[in-house]
Amino acid sequence: MFRLTQGFYYLFLGTWLGALVMLALAAAITFHTLRDLKATTAVEPYHSLSAAEQPSALAGAVVGNVLHGLAVVQVVCAVGAVGCILLQHTVWAGHLAGGRAAPANITRLILLALPVLILLLDVAVISPRIWQQRDLMYDPHRPAELRQAARQRFDRLHHLDERVVGGATVALAAGILVSGFAFRDPEK
């Protein structure tokens, strides 16, 4: 059962890490593709944008919706990984190399707590504010200066989100690598 728990532990963490990496690739490809295709739309609120602005706005809408799906995947993976960690510290505590207070285990827990905390911050605070500013900056009924101010706030929040999610990705990868040192071989 310990090996099954470990399999799920690495499956949850690996899926989460892979999803974050693929998001970065998918976002870049989506923006590039829609710009190359010079994609336009007659759908509000994008129809009021210039033909040069529409591809980026559409790509942002696509990637934004992908982010909603990614949030669900991340929450499932985080809950599953935390469940496995709880089992590792209770039922399978004897398999922790050096015990619960071992440096590798503490480091692993800190590294894995960071992406969980960042996920909570992103889902509860940053992403809703980004969507709010995005809606304001594309609202054709608002004056241009208010839309520009919303764009500036959007850009700041988006940049912050890129940095914290990038940090979460690095911490998650490091946590996975350090995990290999936190456990001893169950056969020994």
Side-chain angles (χ1 to χ4, degrees):
M1 290 303 291
F2 171 72
R3 288 184 182 192
L4 183 62
T5 301
Q6 291 302 91
F8 278 113
Y9 170 75
Y10 285 110
L11 177 66
F12 288 128
L13 294 178
T15 300
W16 189 358
L17 179 62
L20 289 172
V21 170
M22 281 308 301
L23 167 67
L25 294 173
I29 291 167
T30 300
F31 275 89
H32 180 70
T33 301
L34 290 178
R35 284 182 187 134
D36 281 354
L37 295 174
K38 296 177 178 53
T40 60
T41 183
V43 175
E44 279 196 39
Y46 310 114
H47 72 289
S48 62
L49 298 173
S50 71
E53 294 173 307
Q54 285 190 24
S56 291
L58 292 172
V62 170
V63 172
N65 286 325
V66 169
L67 284 168
H68 284 303
L70 175 64
V72 173
V73 171
Q74 288 186 90
V75 167
V76 168
C77 289
V79 168
V82 168
C84 290
I85 290 169
L86 291 174
L87 287 172
Q88 293 163 351
H89 278 260
T90 55
V91 177
W92 310 116
H95 292 284
L96 291 168
R100 290 183 186 108
N105 187 51
I106 298 297
T107 302
R108 165 185 82 109
L109 294 175
I110 291 168
L111 288 169
L112 297 178
L114 287 173
V116 172
L117 295 174
I118 288 170
L119 174 61
L120 293 173
L121 176 68
D122 189 40
V123 168
V125 178
I126 300 173
S127 287
R129 289 182 182 172
I130 287 174
W131 278 98
Q132 178 186 38
Q133 295 308 311
R134 188 176 191 284
D135 290 343
L136 293 173
M137 74 185 199
Y138 289 134
D139 184 351
H141 306 294
R142 294 177 61 84
E145 62 273 0
L146 293 178
R147 285 185 283 145
Q148 183 58 35
R151 175 172 284 289
Q152 290 171 347
R153 289 187 298 271
F154 171 87
D155 288 342
R156 281 194 306 271
L157 287 166
H158 185 266
H159 185 68
L160 170 66
D161 200 42
E162 285 178 331
R163 292 183 141 209
V164 297
V165 171
T169 304
V170 170
L172 191 56
I176 292 169
L177 291 173
V178 172
S179 291
F181 299 99
F183 301 100
R184 58 184 178 83
D185 188 348
E187 300 297 321
K188 294 181 180 179

